[in-house]
Amino acid sequence: MDLKNIIAAITLSAAVIVLYGLFFAPTQEQINNLNNKDEKNITQNTDAPTIDEKIEVKTITREDALGKDNRVFFENAFIKGSISLLGGAIDDLELKAYNKTLGSKEKIQLLNPASTNNGYTFNTGWATRSNIETPNSNTIWKIDGTNKLTPGGAVKIYFVNNSGIRFERLISIDEKYLFSVKQTLINNSQETFKVYPFARINRNSLPDDLTDFYILHEGYTFITGENIEEVDYDDVEEKKHSTEGSTGVLIQGDKYWMTSIIPEQGRNFRFDLDYKDKYRASYIDLKGYEARPNTLIEHSVKSLIGAKEIKQINKYKDDLKIEKLDLIVNYGVLYFIIVPMHKILSYFFNFTGNYGYAIILLTILVRVVFFPLNQYSMKSMGKMKSLGPEIENLKTRFKDDKQQLQREMMKLYKVNGVNPASSCFPILIQIPIFFSLYKLLLLDLAMRHSPFVWVWQDLSAKDPLTIFNLFGLLPYSVPTFLEIGLLPVLMGSSMWLQMKLSPQPSGSDEMQKMQKKIFMLMPLFLTVILAPFAAGLILYWVCTNILTIIQQYIICLLYTSPSPRDLSTSRLPSSA
């Protein structure tokens, strides 16, 4: 395509976008007013009360916060923590299998008391429009029975209000990350009132490991029936979000960790998100229960609190019978590629015991699958390279007649069986594969802190070496933007060699010179751009380049020796 046409197309596209923004796009105020109106309609068209308890927070250390209240302790093979008897919140949870940083012994502390800077809690309760006293954040709960929660033994806590109404919570955990809270209300009074069970997740601040990367969703996800809505933290700060449903789950997800609210399925409920000094996510049952004198009401809520382990989440999806629960780890539109790729990678890991070797085997498998396409593409590239002198000759003969030049080049390609576009198609096909592997390495918790060899002890992190201190041989550090590791250098070098084996732009005009410069600078540009990417992804790219170079070199040997057939000897009729 002519360079002028490309520039004209880009300019026209930019002009359309600018004109739309200036004259036709709605203002932010109009968008906010419309959104706020929709949210108000959702929350007003129900009898359920709002959950808006004001909690005054005095920031103290985590140790002091855990020590000032009586607690119920829980533990299984993967998590341990405690439940505060002041308010009844699950506000202390440590992931026993995951270290905070590579090489450290400090574990991930996912939940923290509300009185700390990183306060992050899960709680349940009853909301009502009556004057009945219901449990709140200042309620002192008592233990009925054992005070140690384990997979084999649930814990019951209770509170009796000034009217004699008894509130109970039977809390249980499984062998992994599932909490179940069965709430019971025993109305020993002579009053009749209506109550609405709820659950909420409060978080004081953004997670410390927030990546804020545009292709990675971190924040909240509504899954209601067939609908999925993702809400980022900054969206919650701007306005309230609400949605209704009768099946589904509310997920609060970081890159590797999660909390959630799983209501009783089949009952109408509403999920709400807002920000008032803290990030607040809540669920409320919209139908509610009428509590008559001397009656008992029961309602259950579940929550997954822990690590985003793909295999375990798939098991929970089947056990809890909640469709799309596996989207806690959301791979986006390439889900259909990433899921089988994850299964293959897991198989190779089980075979080798090393994710680095598993990535290499996956690369070989991808090359084998795409071998016919790559073979066809490289044959075409080899033939294109052999046609270089003849193409240069045509450009000299028809330098003043562009249309005739194009016709003669097309005839030359046809005589020699070359399709110029065929070399691009296999590359386009493999772009989704590359991007899918990137999302897999980015989101798969199994890749976190997974070693390869030598200094590459975390394939989910960038290469720790840098060329600017000779890969650690010189005793000084460099700025972050200069941290270009050994794997990115190998990737750029192999890409440069791969381009040297590919057909180069021919000709001496300005456009051809510009293309040659772009081709020459492209490996350097991509080396710098991709240096911060996960080492596992760069390893995949290096292996792909090496295999491509081998295949390309063989093709070049086979298809550059024969002389191209000149048009002068061709029996094709000349153009009119």
Side-chain angles (χ1 to χ4, degrees):
M1 184 180 290
D2 188 84
L3 183 61
K4 292 181 180 179
N5 293 337
I6 297 174
I7 295 173
I10 294 173
T11 304
L12 182 60
S13 301
V16 170
I17 294 171
V18 171
L19 289 173
Y20 175 80
L22 288 174
F23 299 106
F24 301 103
T27 64
Q28 188 60 46
E29 183 178 358
Q30 290 173 325
I31 294 172
N32 290 340
N33 289 340
L34 181 62
N35 289 336
N36 290 336
K37 182 179 179 181
D38 292 341
E39 300 299 339
K40 187 177 289 186
N41 288 338
I42 290 176
T43 55
Q44 285 183 348
N45 294 335
T46 177
D47 293 331
T50 58
I51 309 167
D52 195 14
E53 181 184 1
K54 185 175 178 62
I55 303 174
E56 184 178 351
V57 177
K58 295 180 180 179
T59 304
I60 58 177
T61 66
R62 190 176 195 276
E63 291 72 21
D64 290 342
L66 294 176
K68 74 172 188 175
D69 305 326
N70 292 325
R71 294 185 165 268
V72 172
F73 295 91
F74 61 82
E75 185 170 7
N76 63 21
F78 296 91
I79 59 174
K80 70 175 182 179
S82 60
I83 303 168
S84 174
L85 291 178
L86 177 62
I90 304 173
D91 62 355
D92 168 33
L93 188 143
E94 179 182 285
L95 301 175
K96 297 165 65 174
Y98 297 99
N99 297 331
K100 189 171 276 189
T101 57
L102 182 65
S104 75
K105 294 183 178 180
E106 186 179 2
K107 302 301 180 181
I108 293 291
Q109 294 168 340
L110 185 56
L111 300 187
N112 300 287
S115 54
T116 64
N117 282 327
N118 296 324
Y120 193 7
T121 65
F122 171 83
N123 209 344
T124 61
W126 301 92
T128 182
R129 293 185 182 276
S130 70
N131 294 325
I132 296 298
E133 179 189 6
T134 56
N136 56 42
S137 60
N138 295 316
T139 297
I140 298 177
W141 293 79
K142 296 180 180 179
I143 302 174
D144 185 356
T146 179
N147 65 349
K148 182 66 181 288
L149 174 60
T150 62
V155 164
K156 180 187 287 187
I157 59 176
Y158 70 94
F159 163 72
V160 180
N161 71 5
N162 50 19
S163 300
I165 301 171
R166 181 181 172 102
F167 299 87
E168 296 179 352
R169 292 182 188 171
L170 185 67
I171 307 170
S172 59
I173 58 172
D174 70 349
E175 299 290 344
K176 276 273 191 168
Y177 306 122
L178 182 64
F179 286 79
S180 299
V181 182
K182 180 181 178 182
Q183 297 191 110
T184 303
L185 186 155
I186 304 173
N187 185 8
N188 295 320
S189 72
Q190 297 305 308
E191 300 185 52
T192 298
F193 52 93
K194 197 167 186 179
V195 289
Y196 302 82
F198 71 85
R200 62 185 168 202
I201 301 170
N202 288 344
R203 191 169 200 169
N204 291 353
S205 58
L206 293 172
D208 293 334
D209 58 351
L210 183 70
T211 59
D212 198 23
F213 195 24
Y214 72 97
I215 68 167
L216 173 63
H217 171 64
E218 293 171 284
Y220 301 93
T221 302
F222 294 134
I223 300 177
T224 51
E226 295 298 318
N227 300 319
I228 300 174
E229 181 182 357
E230 294 181 340
V231 184
D232 294 333
Y233 286 110
D234 53 355
D235 296 328
V236 177
E237 293 175 6
E238 292 176 2
K239 69 181 187 71
K240 182 177 180 178
H241 295 259
S242 297
T243 190
E244 294 182 4
S246 58
T247 60
V249 59
L250 187 157
I251 303 161
Q252 182 163 355
D254 300 342
K255 182 178 180 180
Y256 293 126
W257 327 115
M258 63 178 174
T259 53
S260 63
I261 299 174
I262 306 175
E264 281 192 0
Q265 305 296 293
R267 292 181 61 90
N268 291 334
F269 56 76
R270 187 181 72 235
F271 290 139
D272 296 307
L273 302 175
D274 68 1
Y275 179 82
K276 292 182 179 178
D277 300 324
K278 64 175 69 67
Y279 299 92
R280 308 189 304 180
S282 63
Y283 136 82
I284 188 166
D285 184 278
L286 295 179
K287 187 177 180 180
Y289 297 88
E290 186 174 62
R292 294 182 176 142
N294 301 312
T295 59
L296 177 148
I297 297 170
E298 293 181 340
H299 185 87
S300 296
V301 178
K302 292 180 171 61
S303 179
L304 289 171
I305 308 176
K308 290 182 176 181
E309 298 173 359
I310 297 173
K311 184 177 180 181
Q312 185 61 39
I313 290 172
N314 289 335
K315 184 176 183 300
Y316 281 131
K317 174 189 174 183
D318 296 334
D319 293 346
L320 299 175
K321 295 179 173 57
I322 299 177
E323 289 298 322
K324 296 184 171 62
L325 184 64
D326 54 333
L327 294 182
I328 286 178
V329 182
N330 194 346
Y331 292 130
V333 295
L334 295 175
Y335 179 88
F336 67 99
I337 298 177
I338 299 176
V339 170
M341 188 178 288
H342 173 261
K343 292 180 179 179
I344 295 170
L345 191 64
S346 298
Y347 174 81
F348 285 148
F349 171 74
N350 293 332
F351 177 71
T352 63
N354 185 296
Y355 269 110
Y357 298 138
I359 290 172
I360 293 173
L361 290 177
L362 178 63
T363 307
I364 295 172
L365 177 63
V366 170
R367 297 302 299 180
V368 169
V369 170
F370 286 100
F371 180 81
L373 278 175
N374 289 325
Q375 189 79 348
Y376 178 70
S377 170
M378 289 179 183
K379 285 180 180 179
S380 180
M381 290 172 65
K383 291 178 181 179
M384 283 280 292
K385 193 169 184 178
S386 67
L387 291 178
E390 187 62 28
I391 292 173
E392 193 65 33
N393 182 38
L394 289 175
K395 287 182 177 180
T396 302
R397 289 170 55 192
F398 302 103
K399 62 180 179 179
D400 296 325
D401 190 347
K402 298 292 185 183
Q403 291 184 354
Q404 184 63 24
L405 173 62
Q406 291 298 322
R407 286 194 291 266
E408 295 295 330
M409 288 178 64
M410 288 299 104
K411 285 197 288 185
L412 180 66
Y413 292 149
K414 187 174 182 179
V415 168
N416 289 275
V418 174
N419 183 358
S422 63
S423 59
C424 300
F425 181 68
I427 297 174
L428 295 176
I429 290 292
Q430 292 179 68
I431 287 176
I433 302 295
F434 176 79
F435 190 73
S436 298
L437 181 64
Y438 176 61
K439 290 213 74 171
L440 177 60
L441 296 178
L442 188 68
L443 295 175
D444 190 359
L445 179 58
M447 207 65 60
R448 182 179 184 265
H449 296 174
S450 291
F452 177 35
V453 292
W454 194 32
V455 297
W456 298 294
Q457 296 300 307
D458 186 358
L459 288 171
S460 68
K462 69 177 183 179
D463 192 324
L465 299 176
T466 173
I467 189 175
F468 291 100
N469 64 4
L470 296 182
F471 306 115
L473 295 177
L474 300 179
Y476 62 84
S477 58
V478 298
T480 303
F481 70 92
L482 291 178
E483 292 179 350
I484 301 174
L486 179 57
L487 282 176
V489 169
L490 291 175
M491 182 201 70
S493 303
S494 58
M495 185 179 295
W496 175 83
L497 182 56
Q498 184 180 342
M499 287 187 172
K500 292 294 288 184
L501 293 173
S502 303
Q504 301 296 311
S506 59
S508 57
D509 58 16
E510 292 300 320
M511 184 175 179
Q512 302 301 332
K513 290 179 179 178
M514 182 183 296
Q515 287 183 352
K516 288 180 181 179
K517 289 180 180 179
I518 292 174
F519 272 42
M520 182 178 64
L521 293 174
M522 186 61 69
L524 177 62
F525 175 75
L526 287 177
T527 298
V528 175
I529 293 298
L530 297 179
F533 280 47
L537 184 73
I538 307 300
L539 175 64
Y540 169 81
W541 201 325
V542 170
C543 295
T544 298
N545 287 350
I546 292 172
L547 293 173
T548 303
I549 288 169
I550 295 171
Q551 187 177 4
Q552 202 164 335
Y553 179 73
I554 295 171
I555 295 296
C556 285
L557 290 178
L558 294 175
Y559 287 91
T560 54
S561 297
S563 299
R565 284 180 283 178
D566 196 297
L567 287 177
S568 60
T569 62
S570 172
R571 295 184 180 180
L572 290 175
S574 59
S575 59

